[in-house]
Amino acid sequence: MTKHQQLQRRLGVADATAIGLGSMLGAGVFVVFAPAARLAGELLLVAIALAGAVAYCNAVASAQLAARYPQSGGTYVYGRNQLGEWPGFLAGWGFVTGKSASCAAMALTFGQYVAPGYATPVAIAAVAALTGVNLLGITRTAFLTRILLAVVLATLAFVAAASLLGPHVPDGGTVSGQAGSGWGILPAAGLVFFAFAGYARIATLGEEVKDPARVIPRAILGALAGALVIYLLLGALLLAHLPVHVLASSTAPLLDAVEQSRLAAGAPAVQAGAAAASLGALLALITGVGRTAMAMARERDLPGPLARVGGRHPVPATAELAVAAVVVLLLLTTDVLTVVGFSSFGVLVYYAVTNAAAFTLGDRPRHAPRWLNAAGLAGCLVLAFTLPPASALGMAAVMAAGLAGRAAVLAFRKRRLRQPGKR
């Protein structure tokens, strides 16, 4: 295989943790409580805890594997090394396609908060600007992520204070449908799970982390612990402050919580925080997708030019620009808020492969027994197949197309090798 230029190890524990936490406290924290409450009702906290439990299993598996394989690409690399080329490709393809849709959704969320009448042009401008930041090097990415994360944390603290102060909205209705049922909790947990999936960004940056065997596990588990505490606390405060049917029907639950409090004058600060969260998540997503695309190109599972690393600040510039182009195309041609639902199934498959790969490891720390990997694998599959059918079937079709495309490319390469004079 051609020797590719390596990225530089510049990230410590704080930077890696900030990138992971910035992903988990992205735009999702400002919207996910409403659809989750619609499904789980008063049992919202149970859904959050269940999502956190599955995420913990996945985080432990990711930490084990990232310490063993400190390369860019995350589960694409782990799957190839531990399970074979096809499971690795499945994970990488699911991540790249699903998270490209998520990038477009984050960009559009930013546009809608900042300039509702011009959401798409503003979203495209945000993608271009953040891609430019990424091209300046990973340390610039980490620096901007820290700034955005600080803004988001301050905003969430303000929402928490507003929810505590009240006045609390009197209950005047109930949530219809299957709220509070087992089948309501499971899809709700599936929705909340993706808020916790940001630690995957830490693993995809494995080639740029200092002392990866020590830093990556600490950053992954630290970011997840911080996110879980924040989501549980916010969920409890929202349920105490707003009637569950009001929370379930909201399009901006954190903004509604502030507007229904003594701190209603601070509502614009929540809008600014949501915009910052969208940018932070978008920045981390573009970074992670670009690195995974680069890793796949190195193995010839994506076009070879995407593997190029170079410039004054060594980054996978071609892959980053390609990701940005795909995201802009989605913004111009697709109903992104519908398409992004497809990514849910793809990311759960990604983590199913993570757990399966970790299960095959021999030497393992005491806190990572095999049964935890098995539980994570089962949890991912359960959540995947309790998602709304349209999301599951849509992403399954995209993944099947990717597998078929790879099979066709491999068959073509074999035919060329059999021809006289071909190599």
Side-chain angles (χ1 to χ4, degrees), residues 94-295:
F95 185 85
V96 168
T97 55
K99 289 303 184 180
S100 293
S102 295
C103 287
M106 291 298 129
L108 192 60
T109 300
F110 172 75
Q112 288 172 336
Y113 270 99
V114 173
Y118 304 92
T120 298
V122 171
I124 292 172
V127 171
L130 294 183
T131 301
V133 171
N134 278 337
L135 294 177
L136 292 176
I138 193 63
T139 53
R140 273 73 169 183
T141 299
F143 177 72
L144 181 56
T145 298
R146 282 189 176 197
I147 294 175
L148 295 172
L149 179 59
V151 173
V152 173
L153 289 174
T155 304
L156 297 181
F158 179 75
V159 172
S163 298
L164 282 171
L165 288 174
H168 304 297
V169 181
D171 197 347
T174 59
V175 183
S176 60
Q178 51 185 340
S181 70
W183 288 110
I185 293 171
L186 287 173
L191 288 177
V192 177
F193 169 81
F194 300 101
F196 295 133
Y199 49 80
R201 244 64 76 224
I202 300 170
T204 61
L205 302 174
E207 203 171 297
E208 295 163 276
V209 174
K210 303 172 185 175
D211 190 7
R214 180 183 67 87
V215 169
I216 292 176
R218 290 186 180 185
I220 286 176
L221 295 174
L224 176 61
L228 179 57
V229 169
I230 290 170
Y231 273 86
L232 283 172
L233 179 60
L234 279 174
L237 290 173
L238 288 172
L239 285 174
H241 180 50
L242 298 175
V244 68
H245 72 281
V246 172
L247 177 61
S249 61
S250 175
T251 56
L254 301 194
L255 183 60
D256 286 349
V258 170
E259 289 178 340
Q260 299 291 334
S261 76
R262 298 174 190 172
L263 303 179
V270 179
Q271 292 175 295
S278 301
L279 287 181
L282 178 59
L283 181 64
L285 278 170
I286 292 174
T287 305
V289 176
R291 267 63 178 180
T292 302
M294 177 193 70

Side-chain angles (χ1 to χ4, degrees), residues 7-19:
L7 302 175
Q8 296 181 358
R9 298 191 181 279
R10 295 182 173 180
L11 300 179
V13 173
D15 285 331
T17 303
I19 288 174

Side-chain angles (χ1 to χ4, degrees), residues 1-6 298 307:
M1 186 179 73
T2 303
K3 180 70 174 176
H4 295 283
Q5 183 178 348
Q6 300 297 299
R298 285 175 172 175

